[in-house]
Amino acid sequence: MRDAQATTIYLKDYQVPTFLIDRTQLRFELEETQTRVISRLSMRRNPDLIGNTGNTLRLDGQDMTLVSVSLNGQALSAEQYQVDDESLVIANISALLDQSPEQGFELSCETLIKPQENTSLEGLYKSHTMFCTQCEAEGFRKITYYLDRPDVMAMFETTIVADKRRYPVLLSNGNAIKQGELDDGRHWVTWEDPFRKPCYLFALVAGDLKSIEDRFTTQSGRDVMLRIFVEEKDLDKCDHAMQSLKNAMRWDEQVYGREYDLDIFMIVAVDDFNMGAMENKGLNIFNTSCVLAKPETTTDTAFQRVEAVVAHEYFHNWSGNRVTCRDWFQLSLKEGFTVFRDAEFSADMGSRTVKRVEDVTFLRTAQFAEDAGPMSHPVRPDSYMEISNFYTLTIYEKGAEVVRMIRELVGEENFRKGSDLYFERHDGQAVTTEDFVRAMEEASGVDLQQFRRWYTQSGTPVMHVSGHYNEPAQTYELSLSQSCPPTPGQPHKEPFHIPLRMGLLGAGGNELELNLPGEKHSGLTERVLNVTEPVQRFVFHNIPAAPVPSLLRGFSAPVKLHADLDRDQLMFLMTRDSDGFNRWNASQELAVGVMQEMLASHQQGGEMVMDSRLSVAVGEVLQHAVADAQGANELDQAMLAQLLSLPSEAYLSELAEEIDVDGIHAVREHVADALAAEHAAAFAQLYQLCQSDEPYRADAAGIARRSLKNLSLAYLMRLPEPKPLDVCFEQFTGAGNMTDVDAALRLLVNSRQPQAAALAEKALADFYAKWRHESLVVNQWFTVQATASRQGTLQQVKALMEHEAFDIRNPNKVRSLIGAFSNGNPVNFHDLSGEGYQFLAEQILQLDGLNPQIAARLLTPLTRWRRYGAQRQKLMKAELERIAAQADLSRDVYEVVSKSLSAS
Ligand code: B3K
Ligand code: ZN
């Protein structure tokens, strides 16, 4: 492993920029083998830096050939500057200027880059036939020499010159102000962005694209043109994104008072993209997977993702672009806040409780695991080697929870006042998470001093709660304790300020009044307790009989809660709690408890005996579901589907002390089989009741109905009978929407029935034949096969790597095959032969030479090696060591591997 790569950047070393750029003029000459970039930067020494005598101008730049540099129109000679792999340095700029650097100067560079050879998908690159860019976080430095840091904000004017036939559409940020044609078949367009921005928000697109168009009138009456650009074949898949965009624009006006600010808003769909999408000012660039959708090719989940990502990127226009980050340690300032905003938007568009259930499930499964592993870091990290590795679940998801907790603590009205203050005060600035918290604090008057620890301490707090009823005194006492395990670099934690939303239920399920002595609120039946001490007690008065506590309602804080509730109390909460999230949570806790008990017995060689209360509880939910489907109270159906879903193997793994991959799989299968057998009739009835002849709609009611229907089918497919197989195959062939087709295909492929194998094979072949021209559908086809729990899947995955449709340079393909296998197929990936680990390590090494960001991301499952038994630990560690031993690892992979091997 190369030590040279181990440079760590620290927040404590932050310094304001010595030089500023006021205006950036760029000219791109796009050609088939190279691109010429000519920059003209209007710069000056930063006057805000007291006593600034900085005289060395250092610009970031990578992977380019410098043709010439000039200062105020004078070409510099080779001895007047230095160039290395990462920078261009002018050591004594004052000496080259007639006046002080404060008065300003113009620096111009001409460089050559090769987008055609750029497989990192960062900077300017080609996807299919189109040119596009990805600059966040530090990709702009692959385009031209620049001050590539978010606190340097400039006005951009961009001219793109390209062959008119191949690249009829030329786009950049802002408004197109001029265009023209050259004699040689080339044409050009000049774009001007009137808003100052950091270079990470720069974008350029050139290609043969088609677009759909719409308009939006803002609340103040301004007319905005909306355009979504795609390849011609995808024009029929843009409507959902457009509708989502308009909904998001309206929502941000109504909920945050934020209006769009340019005359045009553009989205471009690109097939080769490292992540979901990018919020470039006025020109969002999207992974095709997050923008294209139509019922025949797109599942409900993907429809919802399109809506969420379109909204997320749009919301960044304020939370990210108008107010941006001072440095990359502040990433959660824009990401956590924007995830919170998009989650609330989705909640308003669909089923609020279900959205919360989905988000919490994801957080508790994936973010909690991250926070318990070697890459654990605070929401505002103190250091990093490669910033690309910090686009994490902690920055995004936990960051959103931190914002949600602020809203819990200050209340909804104050939260809005706080966000207004934040946007007004910091419009046009590059700021810190501290600025955000201060705005919230000032607007609300609530002290958030202790709360700030959520930004600086990593790890998931653990909270124990026990309740005690004192009959003679008619009091109910809650005793709470909190702690947080050590995480890398943070052996000791201070107590957190935890908002604990709660209520108490009486025997009939009624909400009791919560009287705390010395407090004036009366009549409240729900409240947010401020938990701030390591050990704390709350005593409620006038409680007539022993209540059942409903704690952490809506998952008001991202903690691991251990409450001393027995299974009868959980069943009571499941049906009686007024908080939908907690009803679901009780169902999960019940199932988790039962399964953990069975696993313990299984591990000791005993039998797996399921506590019948789990089946009783499922029976009750099913009764509701059937009644509901008959009465068509459809919104509830989504919740019922959640209540009937068993905790995933991944969640059970996260909860385990030591992960017993096979044991967890065996227990979960056993429980699901038992529930299917015991409630076969109800599931069959429900499956029928959820059929519908209505045309497909990706709305809350339709999504709910299909999820309940496919969940019923999944249980039915566990029965040792031929009939469900036929039903499933019929759904596969007959359904007119991808949600039902995909669900049926998965079930066929995963069926343990002997007759299923042939049907599954036929279904897979038919599916590919039908959809081979739809890249995103083919990705699903890869995933279905990669996640099959049957034996031999790894061989199948290896064979698919050679398939005509697979392309290791396309991140969506990599994710849908290699990523899906290693993250979504625990039994096969963790096979004790170690072949799954070996396979992954080989792919990572190959990818590291092509696309380091994707390679580093694929490492995640291997970073968890300490959570497994000795044999697996050894195998996983050996693969990490094999990767570490390679020369010339990227900084991305180096950081993750070295931290995984060193932290304990
Ligand atoms: N801001 C981008 C993420 C950029 C990732 C760079 N490695 C998308 C988003 O969060 O909206
Ligand atoms: Zn974002």
Side-chain angles (χ1 to χ4, degrees), residues 398-449:
K398 187 176 180 179
E401 294 301 318
V402 170
V403 175
R404 182 178 295 275
M405 285 191 285
I406 293 179
R407 193 182 62 174
E408 286 284 0
L409 292 173
V410 304
E412 223 161 294
E413 239 172 78
N414 282 329
F415 184 80
R416 170 64 197 268
K417 282 191 204 152
S419 76
D420 284 350
L421 178 61
Y422 168 73
F423 286 127
E424 272 150 39
R425 182 184 278 174
H426 298 297
D427 190 7
Q429 297 178 2
V431 302
T432 63
T433 55
E434 173 57 24
D435 293 315
F436 180 81
V437 177
R438 202 176 302 128
M440 287 293 166
E441 212 166 30
E442 282 181 28
S444 67
V446 175
D447 179 356
L448 297 173
Q449 197 48 43

Side-chain angles (χ1 to χ4, degrees), residues 319-337:
S319 49
N321 302 2
R322 290 287 287 257
V323 182
T324 194
C325 300
R326 187 192 73 172
D327 53 73
W328 293 119
F329 297 101
Q330 318 301 328
L331 182 57
S332 196
L333 172 75
K334 74 178 176 81
E335 296 305 347
F337 187 23

Side-chain angles (χ1 to χ4, degrees), residues 104-342:
F105 53 91
E106 187 183 274
L107 184 78
S108 183
C109 291
E110 182 173 333
T111 46
L112 293 174
I113 50 177
K114 293 194 177 298
Q116 288 82 355
E117 291 171 21
N118 181 356
T119 56
S120 69
L121 312 188
E122 202 191 24
L124 179 66
Y125 64 95
K126 276 201 105 171
S127 174
H128 300 186
T129 57
M130 99 177 77
F131 284 94
C132 61
T133 53
Q134 171 54 38
C135 295
E136 188 179 357
E138 298 179 335
F140 194 77
R141 62 187 62 186
K142 292 183 167 184
I143 292 177
T144 186
Y145 288 103
Y146 205 75
L147 300 178
D148 188 359
R149 46 187 290 170
D151 56 354
V152 170
M153 298 166 78
M155 300 259 257
F156 278 67
E157 187 190 283
T158 306
T159 300
I160 311 167
V161 187
D163 182 77
K164 188 170 181 182
R165 198 178 43 85
R166 287 180 203 251
Y167 311 102
V169 174
L170 304 175
L171 310 173
S172 190
N173 318 83
N175 306 309
I177 53 166
K178 285 182 279 190
Q179 57 192 57
E181 302 205 0
L182 305 176
D183 306 336
D184 54 2
R186 293 189 300 165
H187 68 148
W188 59 272
V189 181
T190 298
W191 291 81
E192 186 182 63
D193 182 356
F195 291 92
R196 287 167 65 238
K197 65 168 178 290
C199 62
Y200 84 84
L201 291 171
F202 170 80
L204 174 155
V205 169
D208 185 3
L209 300 168
K210 299 288 179 267
S211 65
I212 68 157
E213 245 179 64
D214 209 330
R215 306 201 82 88
F216 181 85
T217 308
T218 69
Q219 61 184 6
S220 72
R222 287 191 330 99
D223 181 40
V224 182
M225 150 100 82
L226 311 175
R227 295 183 84 177
I228 301 180
F229 291 88
V230 294
E231 289 179 29
E232 185 162 20
K233 65 178 174 55
D234 292 323
L235 266 177
D236 60 341
K237 307 188 193 78
C238 299
D239 294 347
H240 181 64
M242 185 62 90
Q243 189 55 50
S244 304
L245 174 61
K246 289 190 286 181
N247 292 343
M249 293 177 87
R250 192 61 74 213
W251 188 90
D252 212 17
E253 293 181 345
Q254 287 166 349
V255 180
Y256 283 86
R258 300 291 119 198
E259 208 175 297
Y260 188 62
D261 49 14
L262 288 164
D263 300 335
I264 179 163
F265 184 84
M266 297 174 281
I267 288 177
V268 180
V270 172
D271 207 32
D272 300 285
F273 207 65
N274 280 348
M275 64 276 168
M278 178 64 211
E279 69 265 24
N280 316 301
K281 182 78 190 187
L283 177 57
N284 288 358
I285 298 185
F286 271 62
N287 189 322
T288 44
S289 70
C290 292
V291 61
L292 305 180
K294 70 170 181 179
E296 296 76 21
T297 58
T298 311
T299 61
D300 288 342
T301 314
F303 263 93
Q304 287 176 304
R305 182 154 165 77
V306 168
E307 179 183 75
V309 179
V310 166
H312 178 99
E313 305 311 329
Y314 173 75
F315 296 153
H316 268 315
N317 191 51
W318 276 95
S319 49
N321 302 2
R322 290 287 287 257
V323 182
T324 194
C325 300
R326 187 192 73 172
D327 53 73
W328 293 119
F329 297 101
Q330 318 301 328
L331 182 57
S332 196
L333 172 75
K334 74 178 176 81
E335 296 305 347
F337 187 23
T338 306
V339 170
F340 173 71
R341 276 151 57 69
D342 84 56

Side-chain angles (χ1 to χ4, degrees), residues 125 279 293 363-364 452 559 642 663 676 706 711 721 788 804 806 870:
Y125 64 95
E279 69 265 24
L363 184 88
R364 288 204 291 216
R452 284 170 169 78
V559 300
Q642 295 290 345
R706 284 184 291 278
L711 177 117
E721 297 168 8
E804 58 171 9
F806 186 76

